[in-house]
Amino acid sequence: MNTDRRRINAPSGGTSAPVFARTVKEPGYLQSLRPTRTRGPNELRKIFLQTSLVPSASGSAYLEIPTSTNTPTGKTLIPPTSSLKITASIQGPKPLPRSAPFSPSLLLTTTVKFAPFATRHRRGYIRDSVERDLGVHVETALRGVIIGERWPKSGVEVVITVVEGDEDAWWGDASGGGSGNGDGGGWGLLNVLAGCITVASAAIADAGIDCVDMVSGGVAAIIKTPNGKDLVKILDPCPAEHQNIVAACAVGYLAGRDEITELWMKGDVGADPEELIEGATHAAVGSLSVMKEVILEGVEAKFKDQLSVNNDGLKRKQQDVEMSG
């Protein structure tokens, strides 16, 4: 029994999408709902990025990658694929406590947390091993970008919240209704990592922290064709659209310096992993172009606000001088 009347606790069990009677009785109908990739192999999904959304934070950003698969109207209420929605906020730089030892460079702390409703299976409020691993990967990608020597004995905290995460497989396979294995293999985490790197870099730039360059995330994958004979390399894969993913790679890429600050590979990459890494860097360059435009718009908006405040101050001074004269 809940003794705390000020809080309504969520259900302890997991949540799943409803499966209707028609889907259960007609297996062919379930397969007709399977999403397919309509983009080209080198075509990326559209990205929505916005900065300066959290007033109390030094810098913030919001990233959203909507689904690219359209569902026929009236067939089902379940979306074919999930979209990626991530927020990031920067706390600091701020002085370390007096009891902390002296640090000649900036101390970076990265926290990644999934919202309880971010995936089809409800997640707990306490960080699990997957979230801690993602935090380590994102921190590694950002550590090689920030110029920490300019902030001695200071710390900065990057808080990333995954509002909606990319799925590891199609929900029909995960429920046992498809021909796939249903386990997913954790392919969706690579897209989540790339999105976390991009949104965290945009938030750091919005906070005005000195960096050598902006880092962006990108993902590439190797999939099997429907006949199962040929292997194809694709950029920005959506795991729900592909039944057989052989390997995937996520990178944190500095385009200006042509450097990779983070690398995560999964699966059988074969004898030539460089081709897969190169594809991931191309996807990261596409995310970087969007990030540059958004940050430039944010800087222009800040300068316009500052100029308007300064002009208002000058007008008030002139009015005071005229009244005193």
Side-chain angles (χ1 to χ4, degrees):
M1 183 176 179
N2 184 14
T3 58
D4 189 359
R5 297 182 180 180
R6 295 171 296 179
R7 178 179 178 183
I8 300 177
N9 292 331
S12 58
T15 58
S16 59
V19 179
F20 300 97
R22 179 179 178 183
T23 307
V24 177
K25 294 180 180 179
E26 302 178 12
Y29 173 75
L30 179 62
Q31 291 301 319
S32 66
L33 300 178
R34 178 183 293 276
T36 57
R37 184 184 177 105
T38 56
R39 298 173 286 131
N42 298 328
E43 185 180 355
L44 306 179
R45 290 178 289 183
K46 295 181 180 180
I47 299 176
F48 174 80
L49 184 64
Q50 185 68 37
T51 57
S52 302
L53 295 178
V54 183
S56 60
S58 303
S60 60
Y62 171 75
L63 172 72
E64 181 176 349
I65 302 179
T67 175
S68 60
T69 305
N70 297 324
T71 306
T73 306
K75 274 198 170 185
T76 178
L77 299 177
I78 307 175
T81 61
S82 62
S83 58
L84 188 63
K85 300 176 182 177
I86 307 175
T87 63
S89 60
I90 308 297
Q91 304 295 334
K94 53 188 176 181
L96 295 175
R98 293 185 177 181
S99 58
F102 176 77
S103 175
S105 61
L106 183 68
L107 292 181
L108 177 64
T109 305
T110 304
T111 304
V112 178
K113 185 71 183 73
F114 281 84
F117 49 83
T119 56
R120 294 188 186 274
H121 297 282
R122 189 175 182 85
R123 307 185 75 98
Y125 294 96
I126 302 175
R127 294 177 64 202
D128 53 16
S129 59
V130 174
E131 294 166 336
R132 289 192 293 268
D133 290 342
L134 284 175
V136 172
H137 283 290
V138 177
E139 184 174 342
T140 303
L142 300 178
R143 193 177 297 276
V145 180
I146 299 177
I147 305 176
E149 292 77 11
R150 298 185 181 180
W151 305 90
K153 202 177 180 182
S154 300
V156 63
E157 185 177 3
V158 182
V159 181
I160 301 173
T161 303
V162 182
V163 181
E164 184 176 356
D166 216 343
E167 296 176 333
D168 294 333
W170 179 49
W171 64 267
D173 293 338
S175 61
S179 58
N181 50 16
D183 57 357
W187 304 113
L189 290 178
L190 298 176
N191 289 334
V192 173
L193 174 61
C196 289
I197 293 174
T198 303
V199 72
S201 179
I204 289 175
D206 183 58
I209 300 176
D210 298 331
C211 300
V212 297
D213 196 2
M214 290 186 296
V215 60
S216 57
V219 183
I222 298 176
I223 63 170
K224 286 185 178 180
T225 55
N227 55 17
K229 297 180 180 179
D230 301 329
L231 298 178
V232 180
K233 183 188 72 174
I234 60 174
L235 305 184
D236 191 16
C238 181
E241 297 175 350
H242 308 286
Q243 299 186 45
N244 298 317
I245 300 179
V246 179
C249 173
V251 300
Y253 183 59
L254 292 173
R257 292 193 168 192
D258 194 19
E259 296 179 2
I260 293 178
T261 59
E262 171 59 25
L263 177 64
W264 187 11
M265 304 184 72
K266 289 176 65 70
D268 185 9
V269 297
D272 189 13
E274 296 182 357
E275 183 180 0
L276 188 61
I277 297 175
E278 184 179 358
T281 57
H282 287 317
V285 171
S287 301
L288 180 63
S289 61
V290 178
M291 194 192 312
K292 286 183 177 179
E293 294 181 2
V294 172
I295 293 176
L296 182 59
E297 291 177 359
V299 172
E300 291 177 351
K302 288 182 179 179
F303 275 110
K304 286 182 180 178
D305 295 339
Q306 185 177 1
L307 289 175
S308 62
V309 171
N310 293 336
N311 293 333
D312 292 340
L314 291 175
K315 290 180 180 178
R316 290 177 182 175
K317 288 182 179 180
Q318 291 176 358
Q319 293 176 357
D320 294 341
V321 171
E322 291 177 357
M323 291 178 64
S324 62

